[in-house]
Amino acid sequence: MGAAPAPESATFSPPADPASASVSPDSSRGVAKTIPITGGEIQAEGADGTLYSLQIPGDALEVETTIKMIPAAVTGLPFGKDQTLAVQLEPEGLAF
C-alpha cells in the first residue's frame, strides 16, 4: 500500500472591501405572543405593509413560550436591493 496523499491546503484572503451589513429593528412594530405547546401562529406587519407570519406546530416547543417578532431592515448586503426586509425573533437561541 502506498502512503496517503498529502492533504491539500488553501489560503483564504478576505476581500479588500468586505461587506458591512446593518440591521435596524422597528421595535414599534414588534409583536409578542405566548405560544402553547399545542402550537400557534405569530404575525407582524412591517412599515411597508409586508406581513410576516411564523407558524409553530404542536410539540415544537417544550413549554409555553412567549415569542417576539420584530420587523427589521437590513442594509449593506453585497446582493439584492439597497434594503432587504427581515424579522428578528426572540428569545434568542430558541430552537424548535
Side-chain angles (χ1 to χ4, degrees), residues 16-63:
D17 186 21
S20 179
S22 174
V23 179
S24 302
D26 185 352
S27 298
S28 68
R29 295 188 170 276
V31 175
K33 185 173 181 182
T34 300
I35 306 295
I37 60 172
T38 56
E41 180 178 21
I42 182 170
Q43 294 183 336
E45 186 174 343
D48 69 338
T50 300
L51 182 64
Y52 301 95
S53 177
L54 175 65
Q55 294 181 356
I56 300 151
D59 296 325
L61 300 170
E62 293 181 11
V63 297

